[in-house]
PDB file of all heavy atoms in Angstrom:
ATOM      1  N   PRO A 321    -156.501  -3.686 198.700  1.00  0.00           N
ATOM      2  CA  PRO A 321    -156.376  -2.933 199.954  1.00  0.00           C
ATOM      3  C   PRO A 321    -156.617  -1.442 199.748  1.00  0.00           C
ATOM      4  O   PRO A 321    -156.104  -0.843 198.805  1.00  0.00           O
ATOM      5  CB  PRO A 321    -154.934  -3.216 200.390  1.00  0.00           C
ATOM      6  CG  PRO A 321    -154.236  -3.724 199.184  1.00  0.00           C
ATOM      7  CD  PRO A 321    -155.260  -4.389 198.340  1.00  0.00           C
ATOM      8  N   GLY A 322    -157.407  -0.884 200.651  1.00  0.00           N
ATOM      9  CA  GLY A 322    -157.796   0.515 200.555  1.00  0.00           C
ATOM     10  C   GLY A 322    -159.244   0.672 200.146  1.00  0.00           C
ATOM     11  O   GLY A 322    -159.850   1.716 200.397  1.00  0.00           O
ATOM     12  N   GLN A 323    -159.806  -0.360 199.509  1.00  0.00           N
ATOM     13  CA  GLN A 323    -161.212  -0.297 199.133  1.00  0.00           C
ATOM     14  C   GLN A 323    -162.110  -0.493 200.353  1.00  0.00           C
ATOM     15  O   GLN A 323    -161.647  -0.923 201.417  1.00  0.00           O
ATOM     16  CB  GLN A 323    -161.515  -1.345 198.062  1.00  0.00           C
ATOM     17  CG  GLN A 323    -160.830  -1.049 196.732  1.00  0.00           C
ATOM     18  CD  GLN A 323    -161.253  -2.016 195.642  1.00  0.00           C
ATOM     19  OE1 GLN A 323    -161.112  -3.229 195.773  1.00  0.00           O
ATOM     20  NE2 GLN A 323    -161.773  -1.474 194.560  1.00  0.00           N
ATOM     21  N   GLY A 383    -164.481   2.193 195.712  1.00  0.00           N
ATOM     22  CA  GLY A 383    -163.356   3.105 195.840  1.00  0.00           C
ATOM     23  C   GLY A 383    -162.061   2.626 195.221  1.00  0.00           C
ATOM     24  O   GLY A 383    -161.971   1.521 194.669  1.00  0.00           O
ATOM     25  N   SER A 384    -161.059   3.477 195.347  1.00  0.00           N
ATOM     26  CA  SER A 384    -159.732   3.183 194.807  1.00  0.00           C
ATOM     27  C   SER A 384    -158.895   2.456 195.854  1.00  0.00           C
ATOM     28  O   SER A 384    -159.274   2.347 197.020  1.00  0.00           O
ATOM     29  CB  SER A 384    -159.030   4.480 194.396  1.00  0.00           C
ATOM     30  OG  SER A 384    -158.826   5.314 195.540  1.00  0.00           O
ATOM     31  N   SER A 385    -157.736   1.975 195.417  1.00  0.00           N
ATOM     32  CA  SER A 385    -156.886   1.176 196.299  1.00  0.00           C
ATOM     33  C   SER A 385    -155.506   1.802 196.417  1.00  0.00           C
ATOM     34  O   SER A 385    -155.123   2.696 195.658  1.00  0.00           O
ATOM     35  CB  SER A 385    -156.752  -0.247 195.745  1.00  0.00           C
ATOM     36  OG  SER A 385    -156.101  -0.218 194.477  1.00  0.00           O
ATOM     37  N   PHE A 386    -154.751   1.308 197.394  1.00  0.00           N
ATOM     38  CA  PHE A 386    -153.345   1.668 197.486  1.00  0.00           C
ATOM     39  C   PHE A 386    -152.598   1.084 196.290  1.00  0.00           C
ATOM     40  O   PHE A 386    -152.981   0.034 195.757  1.00  0.00           O
ATOM     41  CB  PHE A 386    -152.728   1.116 198.777  1.00  0.00           C
ATOM     42  CG  PHE A 386    -153.264   1.724 200.040  1.00  0.00           C
ATOM     43  CD1 PHE A 386    -154.127   1.010 200.853  1.00  0.00           C
ATOM     44  CD2 PHE A 386    -152.906   3.006 200.422  1.00  0.00           C
ATOM     45  CE1 PHE A 386    -154.622   1.550 202.031  1.00  0.00           C
ATOM     46  CE2 PHE A 386    -153.393   3.565 201.590  1.00  0.00           C
ATOM     47  CZ  PHE A 386    -154.256   2.838 202.395  1.00  0.00           C
ATOM     48  N   SER A 387    -151.538   1.741 195.878  1.00  0.00           N
ATOM     49  CA  SER A 387    -150.725   1.220 194.782  1.00  0.00           C
ATOM     50  C   SER A 387    -149.695   0.233 195.326  1.00  0.00           C
ATOM     51  O   SER A 387    -149.328   0.282 196.499  1.00  0.00           O
ATOM     52  CB  SER A 387    -150.018   2.366 194.059  1.00  0.00           C
ATOM     53  OG  SER A 387    -149.077   2.994 194.934  1.00  0.00           O
ATOM     54  N   TYR A 476    -147.591   4.528 203.563  1.00  0.00           N
ATOM     55  CA  TYR A 476    -149.045   4.439 203.449  1.00  0.00           C
ATOM     56  C   TYR A 476    -149.633   4.819 204.805  1.00  0.00           C
ATOM     57  O   TYR A 476    -149.146   4.362 205.844  1.00  0.00           O
ATOM     58  CB  TYR A 476    -149.488   3.022 203.096  1.00  0.00           C
ATOM     59  CG  TYR A 476    -148.940   2.479 201.800  1.00  0.00           C
ATOM     60  CD1 TYR A 476    -147.800   1.682 201.785  1.00  0.00           C
ATOM     61  CD2 TYR A 476    -149.570   2.747 200.584  1.00  0.00           C
ATOM     62  CE1 TYR A 476    -147.302   1.166 200.603  1.00  0.00           C
ATOM     63  CE2 TYR A 476    -149.087   2.231 199.399  1.00  0.00           C
ATOM     64  CZ  TYR A 476    -147.951   1.442 199.411  1.00  0.00           C
ATOM     65  OH  TYR A 476    -147.454   0.928 198.225  1.00  0.00           O
ATOM     66  N   GLU A 499    -149.047   7.835 200.359  1.00  0.00           N
ATOM     67  CA  GLU A 499    -150.457   7.692 200.032  1.00  0.00           C
ATOM     68  C   GLU A 499    -151.266   7.637 201.324  1.00  0.00           C
ATOM     69  O   GLU A 499    -150.842   7.021 202.300  1.00  0.00           O
ATOM     70  CB  GLU A 499    -150.714   6.419 199.210  1.00  0.00           C
ATOM     71  CG  GLU A 499    -150.121   6.468 197.819  1.00  0.00           C
ATOM     72  CD  GLU A 499    -150.410   5.209 197.019  1.00  0.00           C
ATOM     73  OE1 GLU A 499    -151.217   4.372 197.479  1.00  0.00           O
ATOM     74  OE2 GLU A 499    -149.813   5.053 195.938  1.00  0.00           O
ATOM     75  N   VAL A 500    -152.445   8.273 201.294  1.00  0.00           N
ATOM     76  CA  VAL A 500    -153.316   8.287 202.465  1.00  0.00           C
ATOM     77  C   VAL A 500    -154.711   7.815 202.064  1.00  0.00           C
ATOM     78  O   VAL A 500    -155.121   7.945 200.907  1.00  0.00           O
ATOM     79  CB  VAL A 500    -153.411   9.693 203.104  1.00  0.00           C
ATOM     80  CG1 VAL A 500    -152.062  10.125 203.642  1.00  0.00           C
ATOM     81  CG2 VAL A 500    -153.948  10.714 202.096  1.00  0.00           C
ATOM     82  N   SER A 501    -155.427   7.279 203.041  1.00  0.00           N
ATOM     83  CA  SER A 501    -156.821   6.886 202.843  1.00  0.00           C
ATOM     84  C   SER A 501    -157.697   7.836 203.640  1.00  0.00           C
ATOM     85  O   SER A 501    -157.640   7.857 204.875  1.00  0.00           O
ATOM     86  CB  SER A 501    -157.040   5.434 203.306  1.00  0.00           C
ATOM     87  OG  SER A 501    -158.399   5.063 203.169  1.00  0.00           O
ATOM     88  N   LEU A 502    -158.502   8.628 202.941  1.00  0.00           N
ATOM     89  CA  LEU A 502    -159.338   9.629 203.591  1.00  0.00           C
ATOM     90  C   LEU A 502    -160.588   8.999 204.195  1.00  0.00           C
ATOM     91  O   LEU A 502    -161.058   7.957 203.741  1.00  0.00           O
ATOM     92  CB  LEU A 502    -159.742  10.712 202.586  1.00  0.00           C
ATOM     93  CG  LEU A 502    -158.609  11.490 201.918  1.00  0.00           C
ATOM     94  CD1 LEU A 502    -159.183  12.608 201.042  1.00  0.00           C
ATOM     95  CD2 LEU A 502    -157.635  12.061 202.936  1.00  0.00           C
ATOM     96  N   VAL A 527    -164.376  11.293 197.220  1.00  0.00           N
ATOM     97  CA  VAL A 527    -163.569  10.350 197.995  1.00  0.00           C
ATOM     98  C   VAL A 527    -164.049   8.916 197.774  1.00  0.00           C
ATOM     99  O   VAL A 527    -163.247   7.981 197.766  1.00  0.00           O
ATOM    100  CB  VAL A 527    -163.598  10.725 199.495  1.00  0.00           C
ATOM    101  CG1 VAL A 527    -162.972   9.625 200.348  1.00  0.00           C
ATOM    102  CG2 VAL A 527    -162.864  12.040 199.717  1.00  0.00           C
ATOM    103  N   MET A 529    -165.155   7.611 195.052  1.00  0.00           N
ATOM    104  CA  MET A 529    -164.890   7.118 193.702  1.00  0.00           C
ATOM    105  C   MET A 529    -163.430   7.298 193.323  1.00  0.00           C
ATOM    106  O   MET A 529    -162.720   6.321 193.092  1.00  0.00           O
ATOM    107  CB  MET A 529    -165.794   7.849 192.696  1.00  0.00           C
ATOM    108  CG  MET A 529    -167.271   7.514 192.853  1.00  0.00           C
ATOM    109  SD  MET A 529    -167.650   5.797 192.426  1.00  0.00           S
ATOM    110  CE  MET A 529    -167.370   5.806 190.653  1.00  0.00           C
ATOM    111  N   GLU A 530    -162.974   8.549 193.247  1.00  0.00           N
ATOM    112  CA  GLU A 530    -161.567   8.783 192.926  1.00  0.00           C
ATOM    113  C   GLU A 530    -160.675   8.383 194.106  1.00  0.00           C
ATOM    114  O   GLU A 530    -159.506   8.063 193.940  1.00  0.00           O
ATOM    115  CB  GLU A 530    -161.337  10.239 192.543  1.00  0.00           C
ATOM    116  CG  GLU A 530    -161.896  10.630 191.177  1.00  0.00           C
ATOM    117  CD  GLU A 530    -163.405  10.798 191.149  1.00  0.00           C
ATOM    118  OE1 GLU A 530    -163.968  11.278 192.159  1.00  0.00           O
ATOM    119  OE2 GLU A 530    -164.011  10.452 190.110  1.00  0.00           O
ATOM    120  N   GLY A 531    -161.228   8.426 195.319  1.00  0.00           N
ATOM    121  CA  GLY A 531    -160.548   7.954 196.528  1.00  0.00           C
ATOM    122  C   GLY A 531    -161.151   6.638 196.939  1.00  0.00           C
ATOM    123  O   GLY A 531    -161.770   5.959 196.122  1.00  0.00           O
ATOM    124  N   PRO A 532    -160.998   6.244 198.206  1.00  0.00           N
ATOM    125  CA  PRO A 532    -160.498   7.056 199.327  1.00  0.00           C
ATOM    126  C   PRO A 532    -158.981   7.235 199.359  1.00  0.00           C
ATOM    127  O   PRO A 532    -158.474   8.012 200.125  1.00  0.00           O
ATOM    128  CB  PRO A 532    -160.977   6.271 200.552  1.00  0.00           C
ATOM    129  CG  PRO A 532    -161.009   4.852 200.109  1.00  0.00           C
ATOM    130  CD  PRO A 532    -161.450   4.898 198.669  1.00  0.00           C
ATOM    131  N   VAL A 533    -158.257   6.475 198.499  1.00  0.00           N
ATOM    132  CA  VAL A 533    -156.795   6.567 198.540  1.00  0.00           C
ATOM    133  C   VAL A 533    -156.322   7.645 197.570  1.00  0.00           C
ATOM    134  O   VAL A 533    -156.702   7.652 196.390  1.00  0.00           O
ATOM    135  CB  VAL A 533    -156.153   5.220 198.177  1.00  0.00           C
ATOM    136  CG1 VAL A 533    -154.630   5.359 198.126  1.00  0.00           C
ATOM    137  CG2 VAL A 533    -156.555   4.148 199.192  1.00  0.00           C
ATOM    138  N   PHE A 534    -155.499   8.560 198.087  1.00  0.00           N
ATOM    139  CA  PHE A 534    -154.903   9.610 197.270  1.00  0.00           C
ATOM    140  C   PHE A 534    -153.413   9.716 197.586  1.00  0.00           C
ATOM    141  O   PHE A 534    -153.002   9.551 198.734  1.00  0.00           O
ATOM    142  CB  PHE A 534    -155.542  10.972 197.560  1.00  0.00           C
ATOM    143  CG  PHE A 534    -156.958  11.122 197.095  1.00  0.00           C
ATOM    144  CD1 PHE A 534    -158.006  10.827 197.941  1.00  0.00           C
ATOM    145  CD2 PHE A 534    -157.236  11.572 195.811  1.00  0.00           C
ATOM    146  CE1 PHE A 534    -159.326  10.974 197.532  1.00  0.00           C
ATOM    147  CE2 PHE A 534    -158.555  11.724 195.387  1.00  0.00           C
ATOM    148  CZ  PHE A 534    -159.596  11.420 196.246  1.00  0.00           C
ATOM    149  N   ASN A 535    -152.629  10.014 196.569  1.00  0.00           N
ATOM    150  CA  ASN A 535    -151.257  10.412 196.824  1.00  0.00           C
ATOM    151  C   ASN A 535    -151.282  11.812 197.427  1.00  0.00           C
ATOM    152  O   ASN A 535    -152.051  12.672 196.967  1.00  0.00           O
ATOM    153  CB  ASN A 535    -150.450  10.396 195.528  1.00  0.00           C
ATOM    154  CG  ASN A 535    -148.955  10.499 195.785  1.00  0.00           C
ATOM    155  OD1 ASN A 535    -148.458  11.536 196.218  1.00  0.00           O
ATOM    156  ND2 ASN A 535    -148.249   9.414 195.513  1.00  0.00           N
ATOM    157  N   ARG A 538    -151.258  14.966 195.339  1.00  0.00           N
ATOM    158  CA  ARG A 538    -152.500  15.359 194.684  1.00  0.00           C
ATOM    159  C   ARG A 538    -153.370  16.200 195.620  1.00  0.00           C
ATOM    160  O   ARG A 538    -154.192  16.982 195.167  1.00  0.00           O
ATOM    161  CB  ARG A 538    -153.267  14.134 194.210  1.00  0.00           C
ATOM    162  CG  ARG A 538    -152.530  13.308 193.156  1.00  0.00           C
ATOM    163  CD  ARG A 538    -153.484  12.564 192.270  1.00  0.00           C
ATOM    164  NE  ARG A 538    -154.482  13.476 191.762  1.00  0.00           N
ATOM    165  CZ  ARG A 538    -155.798  13.193 191.724  1.00  0.00           C
ATOM    166  NH1 ARG A 538    -156.247  12.062 192.187  1.00  0.00           N
ATOM    167  NH2 ARG A 538    -156.643  14.077 191.234  1.00  0.00           N
ATOM    168  N   LEU A 539    -153.206  16.003 196.920  1.00  0.00           N
ATOM    169  CA  LEU A 539    -153.992  16.761 197.898  1.00  0.00           C
ATOM    170  C   LEU A 539    -153.323  18.073 198.280  1.00  0.00           C
ATOM    171  O   LEU A 539    -153.899  18.875 199.009  1.00  0.00           O
ATOM    172  CB  LEU A 539    -154.214  15.908 199.158  1.00  0.00           C
ATOM    173  CG  LEU A 539    -154.966  14.590 198.952  1.00  0.00           C
ATOM    174  CD1 LEU A 539    -154.962  13.781 200.243  1.00  0.00           C
ATOM    175  CD2 LEU A 539    -156.395  14.843 198.469  1.00  0.00           C
TER     176      LEU A 539
END
Side-chain angles (χ1 to χ4, degrees):
Q323 293 186 303
S384 63
S385 63
F386 294 106
S387 65
Y476 301 96
E499 292 181 9
V500 296
S501 178
L502 301 185
V527 170
M529 293 293 291
E530 288 75 36
V533 176
F534 290 92
N535 193 291
R538 297 207 51 225
L539 300 173

